[in-house]
mmCIF file of all heavy atoms in Angstrom:
data_model
loop_
_atom_site.group_PDB
_atom_site.id
_atom_site.type_symbol
_atom_site.label_atom_id
_atom_site.label_comp_id
_atom_site.label_asym_id
_atom_site.label_seq_id
_atom_site.Cartn_x
_atom_site.Cartn_y
_atom_site.Cartn_z
ATOM 1 N N ILE A 241 55.437 102.071 46.879
ATOM 2 C CA ILE A 241 55.968 102.420 45.552
ATOM 3 C C ILE A 241 55.811 101.249 44.579
ATOM 4 O O ILE A 241 55.304 101.423 43.463
ATOM 5 C CB ILE A 241 57.436 102.872 45.670
ATOM 6 C CG1 ILE A 241 57.494 104.215 46.399
ATOM 7 C CG2 ILE A 241 58.098 102.964 44.290
ATOM 8 C CD1 ILE A 241 58.886 104.664 46.805
ATOM 9 N N TYR A 242 56.213 100.060 45.008
ATOM 10 C CA TYR A 242 56.101 98.887 44.120
ATOM 11 C C TYR A 242 54.646 98.603 43.732
ATOM 12 O O TYR A 242 54.365 98.147 42.630
ATOM 13 C CB TYR A 242 56.682 97.636 44.801
ATOM 14 C CG TYR A 242 58.181 97.604 44.912
ATOM 15 C CD1 TYR A 242 58.805 97.323 46.125
ATOM 16 C CD2 TYR A 242 58.992 97.817 43.788
ATOM 17 C CE1 TYR A 242 60.194 97.272 46.241
ATOM 18 C CE2 TYR A 242 60.384 97.767 43.893
ATOM 19 C CZ TYR A 242 60.976 97.500 45.115
ATOM 20 O OH TYR A 242 62.342 97.451 45.216
ATOM 21 N N ALA A 243 53.731 98.848 44.652
ATOM 22 C CA ALA A 243 52.329 98.457 44.431
ATOM 23 C C ALA A 243 51.592 99.387 43.470
ATOM 24 O O ALA A 243 50.668 98.973 42.782
ATOM 25 C CB ALA A 243 51.589 98.417 45.770
ATOM 26 N N THR A 244 51.987 100.665 43.439
ATOM 27 C CA THR A 244 51.218 101.671 42.696
ATOM 28 C C THR A 244 51.428 101.523 41.200
ATOM 29 O O THR A 244 52.550 101.307 40.734
ATOM 30 C CB THR A 244 51.635 103.089 43.157
ATOM 31 O OG1 THR A 244 51.507 103.149 44.580
ATOM 32 C CG2 THR A 244 50.764 104.156 42.529
ATOM 33 N N ARG A 245 50.337 101.677 40.447
ATOM 34 C CA ARG A 245 50.438 101.486 38.987
ATOM 35 C C ARG A 245 51.233 102.619 38.330
ATOM 36 O O ARG A 245 51.306 103.729 38.866
ATOM 37 C CB ARG A 245 49.062 101.346 38.353
ATOM 38 C CG ARG A 245 48.295 102.618 38.092
ATOM 39 C CD ARG A 245 47.029 102.346 37.300
ATOM 40 N NE ARG A 245 46.110 101.459 38.017
ATOM 41 C CZ ARG A 245 44.918 101.071 37.546
ATOM 42 N NH1 ARG A 245 44.498 101.494 36.351
ATOM 43 N NH2 ARG A 245 44.135 100.278 38.235
ATOM 44 N N PRO A 246 51.818 102.358 37.144
ATOM 45 C CA PRO A 246 52.541 103.421 36.445
ATOM 46 C C PRO A 246 51.646 104.651 36.242
ATOM 47 O O PRO A 246 50.464 104.530 35.935
ATOM 48 C CB PRO A 246 52.882 102.773 35.092
ATOM 49 C CG PRO A 246 52.928 101.302 35.384
ATOM 50 C CD PRO A 246 51.876 101.065 36.418
ATOM 51 N N GLY A 247 52.232 105.834 36.476
ATOM 52 C CA GLY A 247 51.451 107.067 36.350
ATOM 53 C C GLY A 247 50.609 107.381 37.571
ATOM 54 O O GLY A 247 49.883 108.374 37.598
ATOM 55 N N GLY A 248 50.712 106.544 38.602
ATOM 56 C CA GLY A 248 49.907 106.716 39.809
ATOM 57 C C GLY A 248 50.573 107.635 40.829
ATOM 58 O O GLY A 248 51.594 108.278 40.543
ATOM 59 N N VAL A 249 50.000 107.672 42.013
ATOM 60 C CA VAL A 249 50.463 108.591 43.060
ATOM 61 C C VAL A 249 50.649 107.841 44.379
ATOM 62 O O VAL A 249 49.777 107.068 44.780
ATOM 63 C CB VAL A 249 49.445 109.738 43.289
ATOM 64 C CG1 VAL A 249 49.892 110.654 44.425
ATOM 65 C CG2 VAL A 249 49.235 110.548 42.014
ATOM 66 N N VAL A 250 51.771 108.097 45.035
ATOM 67 C CA VAL A 250 52.000 107.635 46.406
ATOM 68 C C VAL A 250 51.996 108.866 47.305
ATOM 69 O O VAL A 250 52.707 109.845 47.031
ATOM 70 C CB VAL A 250 53.361 106.913 46.547
ATOM 71 C CG1 VAL A 250 53.667 106.608 48.016
ATOM 72 C CG2 VAL A 250 53.373 105.625 45.732
ATOM 73 N N VAL A 251 51.171 108.838 48.350
ATOM 74 C CA VAL A 251 51.142 109.943 49.306
ATOM 75 C C VAL A 251 51.710 109.440 50.629
ATOM 76 O O VAL A 251 51.283 108.404 51.147
ATOM 77 C CB VAL A 251 49.707 110.483 49.498
ATOM 78 C CG1 VAL A 251 49.668 111.484 50.646
ATOM 79 C CG2 VAL A 251 49.222 111.166 48.235
ATOM 80 N N LEU A 252 52.684 110.186 51.167
ATOM 81 C CA LEU A 252 53.344 109.792 52.410
ATOM 82 C C LEU A 252 52.752 110.578 53.573
ATOM 83 O O LEU A 252 52.959 111.788 53.684
ATOM 84 C CB LEU A 252 54.854 110.047 52.315
ATOM 85 C CG LEU A 252 55.575 109.339 51.163
ATOM 86 C CD1 LEU A 252 57.054 109.729 51.153
ATOM 87 C CD2 LEU A 252 55.420 107.831 51.248
ATOM 88 N N VAL A 253 52.007 109.888 54.418
ATOM 89 C CA VAL A 253 51.360 110.507 55.576
ATOM 90 C C VAL A 253 52.105 110.134 56.860
ATOM 91 O O VAL A 253 52.329 110.960 57.728
ATOM 92 C CB VAL A 253 49.872 110.084 55.686
ATOM 93 C CG1 VAL A 253 49.192 110.809 56.839
ATOM 94 C CG2 VAL A 253 49.131 110.349 54.380
ATOM 95 N N GLY A 254 52.489 108.869 56.977
ATOM 96 C CA GLY A 254 53.188 108.389 58.179
ATOM 97 C C GLY A 254 54.579 108.971 58.288
ATOM 98 O O GLY A 254 55.245 109.203 57.272
ATOM 99 N N LEU A 255 55.011 109.221 59.519
ATOM 100 C CA LEU A 255 56.344 109.786 59.760
ATOM 101 C C LEU A 255 57.269 108.708 60.289
ATOM 102 O O LEU A 255 57.015 108.123 61.338
ATOM 103 C CB LEU A 255 56.255 110.921 60.793
ATOM 104 C CG LEU A 255 55.366 112.109 60.406
ATOM 105 C CD1 LEU A 255 55.237 113.067 61.584
ATOM 106 C CD2 LEU A 255 55.926 112.826 59.193
ATOM 107 N N GLY A 256 58.341 108.451 59.550
ATOM 108 C CA GLY A 256 59.303 107.423 59.966
ATOM 109 C C GLY A 256 60.678 108.027 60.165
ATOM 110 O O GLY A 256 60.809 109.163 60.615
ATOM 111 N N ALA A 257 61.693 107.262 59.817
ATOM 112 C CA ALA A 257 63.079 107.714 59.987
ATOM 113 C C ALA A 257 63.377 108.874 59.038
ATOM 114 O O ALA A 257 62.832 108.953 57.931
ATOM 115 C CB ALA A 257 64.020 106.555 59.715
ATOM 116 N N ALA A 258 64.275 109.766 59.488
ATOM 117 C CA ALA A 258 64.650 110.928 58.671
ATOM 118 C C ALA A 258 65.247 110.484 57.337
ATOM 119 O O ALA A 258 65.021 111.110 56.296
ATOM 120 C CB ALA A 258 65.625 111.810 59.432
ATOM 121 N N MET A 259 66.025 109.400 57.356
ATOM 122 C CA MET A 259 66.599 108.837 56.125
ATOM 123 C C MET A 259 65.958 107.478 55.871
ATOM 124 O O MET A 259 66.024 106.587 56.718
ATOM 125 C CB MET A 259 68.113 108.682 56.266
ATOM 126 C CG MET A 259 68.847 109.999 56.204
ATOM 127 S SD MET A 259 68.722 110.723 54.547
ATOM 128 C CE MET A 259 69.587 112.268 54.820
ATOM 129 N N THR A 260 65.347 107.349 54.707
ATOM 130 C CA THR A 260 64.623 106.123 54.372
ATOM 131 C C THR A 260 65.055 105.644 52.988
ATOM 132 O O THR A 260 65.086 106.437 52.040
ATOM 133 C CB THR A 260 63.094 106.398 54.376
ATOM 134 O OG1 THR A 260 62.717 106.895 55.661
ATOM 135 C CG2 THR A 260 62.292 105.141 54.082
ATOM 136 N N THR A 261 65.391 104.362 52.883
ATOM 137 C CA THR A 261 65.813 103.790 51.596
ATOM 138 C C THR A 261 64.572 103.354 50.816
ATOM 139 O O THR A 261 63.757 102.577 51.320
ATOM 140 C CB THR A 261 66.732 102.572 51.831
ATOM 141 O OG1 THR A 261 67.839 103.007 52.636
ATOM 142 C CG2 THR A 261 67.235 101.999 50.521
ATOM 143 N N ILE A 262 64.424 103.891 49.604
ATOM 144 C CA ILE A 262 63.267 103.544 48.766
ATOM 145 C C ILE A 262 63.701 103.241 47.334
ATOM 146 O O ILE A 262 64.752 103.716 46.893
ATOM 147 C CB ILE A 262 62.206 104.679 48.748
ATOM 148 C CG1 ILE A 262 62.809 105.978 48.208
ATOM 149 C CG2 ILE A 262 61.599 104.885 50.119
ATOM 150 C CD1 ILE A 262 61.788 107.026 47.831
ATOM 151 N N PRO A 263 62.901 102.465 46.594
ATOM 152 C CA PRO A 263 63.227 102.168 45.189
ATOM 153 C C PRO A 263 62.873 103.361 44.286
ATOM 154 O O PRO A 263 61.896 103.356 43.554
ATOM 155 C CB PRO A 263 62.364 100.937 44.883
ATOM 156 C CG PRO A 263 61.198 101.052 45.794
ATOM 157 C CD PRO A 263 61.689 101.755 47.032
ATOM 158 N N LEU A 264 63.718 104.407 44.363
ATOM 159 C CA LEU A 264 63.410 105.658 43.676
ATOM 160 C C LEU A 264 63.389 105.487 42.152
ATOM 161 O O LEU A 264 62.545 106.071 41.458
ATOM 162 C CB LEU A 264 64.437 106.722 44.078
ATOM 163 C CG LEU A 264 64.080 108.164 43.768
ATOM 164 C CD1 LEU A 264 62.752 108.549 44.410
ATOM 165 C CD2 LEU A 264 65.176 109.100 44.253
ATOM 166 N N LEU A 265 64.315 104.682 41.645
ATOM 167 C CA LEU A 265 64.377 104.483 40.188
ATOM 168 C C LEU A 265 63.111 103.806 39.682
ATOM 169 O O LEU A 265 62.581 104.148 38.623
ATOM 170 C CB LEU A 265 65.614 103.650 39.832
ATOM 171 C CG LEU A 265 66.183 103.949 38.442
ATOM 172 C CD1 LEU A 265 66.651 105.395 38.340
ATOM 173 C CD2 LEU A 265 67.309 102.992 38.110
ATOM 174 N N ASN A 266 62.609 102.836 40.468
ATOM 175 C CA ASN A 266 61.354 102.159 40.113
ATOM 176 C C ASN A 266 60.227 103.187 39.965
ATOM 177 O O ASN A 266 59.463 103.160 38.997
ATOM 178 C CB ASN A 266 61.016 101.131 41.198
ATOM 179 C CG ASN A 266 59.702 100.413 40.956
ATOM 180 O OD1 ASN A 266 58.636 101.000 41.108
ATOM 181 N ND2 ASN A 266 59.772 99.143 40.569
ATOM 182 N N ALA A 267 60.151 104.118 40.913
ATOM 183 C CA ALA A 267 59.114 105.155 40.856
ATOM 184 C C ALA A 267 59.340 106.085 39.673
ATOM 185 O O ALA A 267 58.405 106.420 38.931
ATOM 186 C CB ALA A 267 59.110 105.956 42.157
ATOM 187 N N ALA A 268 60.591 106.498 39.461
ATOM 188 C CA ALA A 268 60.906 107.459 38.396
ATOM 189 C C ALA A 268 60.598 106.880 37.009
ATOM 190 O O ALA A 268 59.964 107.541 36.179
ATOM 191 C CB ALA A 268 62.374 107.868 38.488
ATOM 192 N N LEU A 269 61.023 105.660 36.789
ATOM 193 C CA LEU A 269 60.853 105.059 35.455
ATOM 194 C C LEU A 269 59.394 104.732 35.148
ATOM 195 O O LEU A 269 59.012 104.590 33.991
ATOM 196 C CB LEU A 269 61.711 103.794 35.326
ATOM 197 C CG LEU A 269 63.230 104.047 35.351
ATOM 198 C CD1 LEU A 269 63.992 102.732 35.319
ATOM 199 C CD2 LEU A 269 63.649 104.916 34.172
ATOM 200 N N ARG A 270 58.572 104.599 36.198
ATOM 201 C CA ARG A 270 57.146 104.322 35.973
ATOM 202 C C ARG A 270 56.284 105.579 36.196
ATOM 203 O O ARG A 270 55.066 105.516 36.206
ATOM 204 C CB ARG A 270 56.687 103.181 36.887
ATOM 205 C CG ARG A 270 57.427 101.865 36.609
ATOM 206 C CD ARG A 270 56.853 100.685 37.364
ATOM 207 N NE ARG A 270 56.759 100.926 38.797
ATOM 208 C CZ ARG A 270 55.614 100.966 39.483
ATOM 209 N NH1 ARG A 270 54.450 100.795 38.863
ATOM 210 N NH2 ARG A 270 55.621 101.180 40.788
ATOM 211 N N GLU A 271 56.954 106.735 36.352
ATOM 212 C CA GLU A 271 56.257 108.011 36.577
ATOM 213 C C GLU A 271 55.250 107.930 37.730
ATOM 214 O O GLU A 271 54.131 108.419 37.650
ATOM 215 C CB GLU A 271 55.583 108.517 35.288
ATOM 216 C CG GLU A 271 56.599 108.872 34.219
ATOM 217 C CD GLU A 271 55.996 109.619 33.039
ATOM 218 O OE1 GLU A 271 54.791 109.965 33.074
ATOM 219 O OE2 GLU A 271 56.747 109.854 32.072
ATOM 220 N N VAL A 272 55.696 107.291 38.793
ATOM 221 C CA VAL A 272 54.882 107.269 40.018
ATOM 222 C C VAL A 272 55.241 108.515 40.834
ATOM 223 O O VAL A 272 56.395 108.687 41.230
ATOM 224 C CB VAL A 272 55.150 105.985 40.845
ATOM 225 C CG1 VAL A 272 54.481 106.073 42.219
ATOM 226 C CG2 VAL A 272 54.658 104.762 40.084
ATOM 227 N N ASP A 273 54.281 109.389 41.043
ATOM 228 C CA ASP A 273 54.519 110.617 41.808
ATOM 229 C C ASP A 273 54.524 110.305 43.306
ATOM 230 O O ASP A 273 53.631 109.613 43.794
ATOM 231 C CB ASP A 273 53.415 111.650 41.546
ATOM 232 C CG ASP A 273 53.472 112.222 40.138
ATOM 233 O OD1 ASP A 273 54.389 111.841 39.381
ATOM 234 O OD2 ASP A 273 52.606 113.051 39.795
ATOM 235 N N ILE A 274 55.507 110.847 44.019
ATOM 236 C CA ILE A 274 55.579 110.698 45.475
ATOM 237 C C ILE A 274 55.299 112.063 46.088
ATOM 238 O O ILE A 274 56.021 113.027 45.811
ATOM 239 C CB ILE A 274 56.962 110.176 45.919
ATOM 240 C CG1 ILE A 274 57.249 108.820 45.266
ATOM 241 C CG2 ILE A 274 57.033 110.064 47.445
ATOM 242 C CD1 ILE A 274 58.665 108.316 45.455
ATOM 243 N N ARG A 275 54.228 112.151 46.870
ATOM 244 C CA ARG A 275 53.803 113.442 47.424
ATOM 245 C C ARG A 275 53.790 113.399 48.944
ATOM 246 O O ARG A 275 53.356 112.418 49.533
ATOM 247 C CB ARG A 275 52.401 113.808 46.910
ATOM 248 C CG ARG A 275 52.377 113.985 45.408
ATOM 249 C CD ARG A 275 51.017 114.340 44.871
ATOM 250 N NE ARG A 275 51.038 114.259 43.409
ATOM 251 C CZ ARG A 275 49.966 114.302 42.629
ATOM 252 N NH1 ARG A 275 48.772 114.429 43.185
ATOM 253 N NH2 ARG A 275 50.087 114.221 41.316
ATOM 254 N N GLY A 276 54.230 114.471 49.541
ATOM 255 C CA GLY A 276 54.230 114.572 50.991
ATOM 256 C C GLY A 276 52.924 115.153 51.502
ATOM 257 O O GLY A 276 52.140 115.737 50.749
ATOM 258 N N VAL A 277 52.698 114.973 52.806
ATOM 259 C CA VAL A 277 51.541 115.560 53.472
ATOM 260 C C VAL A 277 52.032 116.146 54.792
ATOM 261 O O VAL A 277 52.698 115.460 55.575
ATOM 262 C CB VAL A 277 50.457 114.491 53.746
ATOM 263 C CG1 VAL A 277 49.524 114.926 54.862
ATOM 264 C CG2 VAL A 277 49.647 114.213 52.490
#
Side-chain angles (χ1 to χ4, degrees):
I241 291 170
Y242 287 130
T244 306
R245 80 173 61 179
V249 177
V250 172
V251 171
L252 302 178
V253 184
L255 300 173
M259 287 293 177
T260 302
T261 303
I262 59 165
L264 196 57
L265 209 62
N266 178 288
L269 293 176
R270 298 188 306 116
E271 294 191 5
V272 171
D273 290 358
I274 301 171
R275 297 180 190 169
V277 158

